Structures are given as structure tokens and as C-alpha cells.
């Protein structure tokens, strides 16, 4: 959702800034903005779906490999499990008991191998959910720069600028929930990225001023 929201706000506002820089009409801004939200949003969602599905397929492939190893090379897999638990600080009888207990349940055993040997998350990825989250966030954040042009208020570009900059900061602040940076730093970082993208688009549009 964070990825989709940032890209939605940046690309749509870049279109708004670029068209404004070129001196074209607000109608052009609305048409290109809507086209970007729908087409680029769908493209991002489809890419996220494909990438997440590939991750899920790879996870299934690794599970089949581990199942084969457990069925045909159980002693070796048991030793590997024992070494993993030993690295976690288990020793002596506790180590042997833990190894035996985990190996009794094949699903638990494989889950442990996925996380410890391959570094995979215990939870499975969900391609459709990932795609919908990306598309929804893209639509929501991408509509912010265009909203003033639908409301028919004066100073549409100025309102779009401030609304989008606030959106950049808000997205970054929310992103701090999953990072080590404080909310104000993460918000400022995302604000800076979005501002630079807008300045580039506005400058390029100014090179082709059609008025």
C-alpha cells in the first residue's frame, strides 16, 4: 500500500506539474491524470501480482524440495535441524528433545527450515491481496493532485501542490511504522522525493511551453 500510494501521488502530480509547466489547459490535466491513475495503477497492481505469485511459486518449490529431503534423506535433515537449534542456544538433552519434538510434525519442521535455512517468512504471500492493496492505494493517493480540478475552485494548481505535498508527508509518516526512522524524518524524506519529482516534471513542461 505504501509503495502504491507513493507512486500514485508522485506520478499523477508529475503529470499535473508537467502539463501546468507547458501551459496546457486544465482539461488536458484531468484527461492525462485519469489515464495515469487507471493505466499506471493497473500496471503496478499487475506487476505486484506477478511478483508476489512468483514468490509464492518459489515458496511451493522449496517446500517440495524439503519434503523430498525429509522423505529420502531424513537423517541428514535431522542433523541439519539439530544444528539450527544448536545455533539458537539449545544443548544436551534439551537439544535432542526439541529436535525430536519438531521432527514429529512435518509441517512444523518444514516451516522452521523455510525461515531458518531460506530466510522466508512464515506467512504465505497473497498475490490478489497484494495487487488490490497496491491498486487501491494508487487510486487514493493519485486522486489527490487531481481533486482541485474536479472541484472547480480558484487557484487549482496551488491547492493541488499543497494537498499533494501534505499527502507525501503523510505517506512517509505512515511508512515509519515499518521502519526505524522517526515519523517526521520518514515523512520529510518522502516529501523531498515527491517534491523533486514534481520540480523535474514542471521544469521539463516549461521547456515545451505551448502557450
Amino acid at each position: 500500500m505504501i509503495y502504491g500510494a507513493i507512486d500514485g501521488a508522485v506520478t499523477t502530480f508529475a503529470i499535473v506539474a508537467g502539463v501546468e509547466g507547458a501551459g496546457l489547459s486544465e482539461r488536458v490535466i484531468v484527461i492525462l491524470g485519469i489515464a495515469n491513475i487507471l493505466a499506471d495503477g493497473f500496471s503496478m497492481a499487475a506487476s505486484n501480482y506477478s511478483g508476489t505469485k512468483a514468490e509464492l511459486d518459489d515458496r511451493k518449490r522449496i517446500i517440495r524440495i524439503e519434503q523430498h529431503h525429509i522423505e529420502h534423506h531424513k537423517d541428514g535433515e535431522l542433523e541439519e535441524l539439530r544444528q539450527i537449534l544448536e545455533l539458537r542456544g539449545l544443548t544436551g538433552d534439551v537439544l535432542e528433545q526439541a529436535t525430536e519434538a519438531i521432527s514429529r510434525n512435518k509441517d512444523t519442521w518444514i516451516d522452521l527450515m523455510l525461515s531458518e535455512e531460506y530466510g522466508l517468512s512464515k506467512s504465505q504471500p497473497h498475490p490478489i491481496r497484494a495487487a488490490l492493496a497496491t491498486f487501491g492505494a494508487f487510486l487514493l493517493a493519485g486522486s489527490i493532485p487531481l481533486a482541485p480540478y474536479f472541484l472547480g475552485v480558484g487557484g487549482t494548481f496551488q491547492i493541488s501542490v499543497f494537498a499533494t505535498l501534505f499527502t507525501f508527508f503523510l505517506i512517509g509518516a505512515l511508512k515509519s511504522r515499518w521502519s526505524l526512522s522517526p515519523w517526521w524524518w520518514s515523512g520529510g524524506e518522502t516529501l523531498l522525493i515527491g517534491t523533486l519529482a514534481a520540480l523535474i516534471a514542471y521544469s521539463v513542461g516549461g521547456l515545451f511551453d505551448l502557450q
Side-chain angles (χ1 to χ4, degrees), residues 15-174:
I15 288 175
V16 172
V19 175
E20 283 281 358
L24 298 176
S25 69
E26 293 185 357
R27 185 168 181 267
V28 175
I29 291 176
V30 171
I31 293 172
L32 293 180
I34 293 176
N36 174 74
I37 289 177
L38 295 178
D40 199 14
F42 177 81
S43 175
M44 278 199 66
S47 297
N48 200 358
Y49 172 83
S50 298
T52 307
K53 190 174 184 302
E55 182 183 345
L56 180 61
D57 290 341
D58 187 54
R59 182 187 183 91
K60 292 177 180 178
R61 178 186 63 83
I62 293 173
I63 289 175
R64 285 197 294 268
I65 291 174
E66 287 300 314
Q67 288 173 337
H68 181 271
H69 286 173
I70 290 173
E71 290 173 3
H72 299 281
H73 309 283
K74 188 172 182 178
D75 290 342
E77 288 297 300
L78 278 172
E79 179 58 31
E80 193 172 353
L81 173 60
R82 185 179 291 106
Q83 291 175 7
I84 290 174
L85 295 175
E86 189 174 15
L87 289 174
R88 290 292 176 265
L90 301 184
T91 58
D93 291 339
V94 175
L95 173 61
E96 297 303 322
Q97 291 169 8
T99 302
E100 182 182 353
I102 293 173
S103 64
R104 286 199 201 105
N105 189 313
K106 186 181 292 186
D107 291 336
T108 302
W109 189 355
I110 291 175
D111 284 343
L112 181 65
M113 300 304 288
L114 289 178
S115 60
E116 297 295 331
E117 185 177 1
Y118 297 95
L120 298 179
S121 172
K122 292 182 180 179
S123 59
Q124 291 192 59
H126 299 276
I128 294 179
R129 187 185 302 173
L132 291 176
T134 301
F135 189 59
F138 193 101
L139 289 179
L140 181 61
S143 65
I144 300 298
L146 293 178
Y149 294 92
F150 286 100
L151 298 176
V153 297
T156 49
F157 182 59
Q158 289 76 13
I159 296 175
S160 178
V161 169
F162 286 112
T164 306
L165 293 181
F166 177 74
T167 302
F168 287 146
F169 184 83
L170 182 61
I171 294 171
L174 291 174

